[in-house]
Amino acid sequence: MKVLLDECLPRRLKYALPEWECQTVPEAGLAGKKNGVLLSLAEDGGFEVFLTMDKGVEYEQNLTGRKIAVIIFRARSNRLVDLMPLVPSCIVTMRAIEPGRLVRIKG
């Protein structure tokens, strides 16, 4: 499964998810793209899950019919130390998430 990490997440988070092929938005060549365009380009690139902390995604984007799923981290900050406690829940979610779904993971 290909996973895309939003620019707002630390790139080192991908090392906590060794089971998946993870790339950051800049690594995928998608830096600076807005959410709607970013999700479309990510789908075209074969990404199946988008990880972010951007709360606006769930209100600004209609995921119906999308091939990509979105997981939103809700943590104190985007520092790795605040995100790592959410990784086990993220892993469980990624194993079961379906395309077009949005899941919030809270710390």
Side-chain angles (χ1 to χ4, degrees):
M1 175 184 296
K2 285 181 73 173
V3 178
L4 185 64
L5 276 67
D6 199 359
E7 291 178 285
C8 61
L9 295 174
R11 61 183 158 83
R12 291 182 297 153
L13 182 62
K14 70 182 185 178
Y15 301 116
L17 305 168
E19 190 173 325
W20 292 274
E21 181 185 339
C22 296
Q23 284 187 314
T24 64
V25 166
E27 289 171 341
L30 303 174
K33 303 294 184 202
K34 299 296 179 195
N35 288 336
V37 172
L38 177 62
L39 290 177
S40 293
L41 291 171
E43 286 177 324
D44 292 345
F47 289 96
E48 299 164 85
V49 177
F50 179 59
L51 303 180
T52 187
M53 284 191 75
D54 184 352
K55 296 176 226 167
V57 171
E58 67 182 299
Y59 303 108
E60 298 166 1
Q61 302 301 316
N62 180 357
L63 297 177
T64 304
R66 288 257 186 206
K67 295 179 275 184
I68 196 166
V70 175
I71 296 175
I72 300 175
F73 287 104
R74 296 283 175 90
R76 182 178 310 140
S77 78
N78 68 343
R79 293 178 33 221
L80 193 59
V81 68
D82 291 328
L83 293 169
M84 287 306 292
L86 304 180
V87 168
S89 293
C90 180
I91 289 171
V92 169
T93 300
M94 286 179 20
R95 287 183 179 144
I97 201 164
E98 297 176 7
R101 305 290 280 176
L102 182 138
V103 175
R104 289 171 231 73
I105 298 177
K106 298 178 184 181

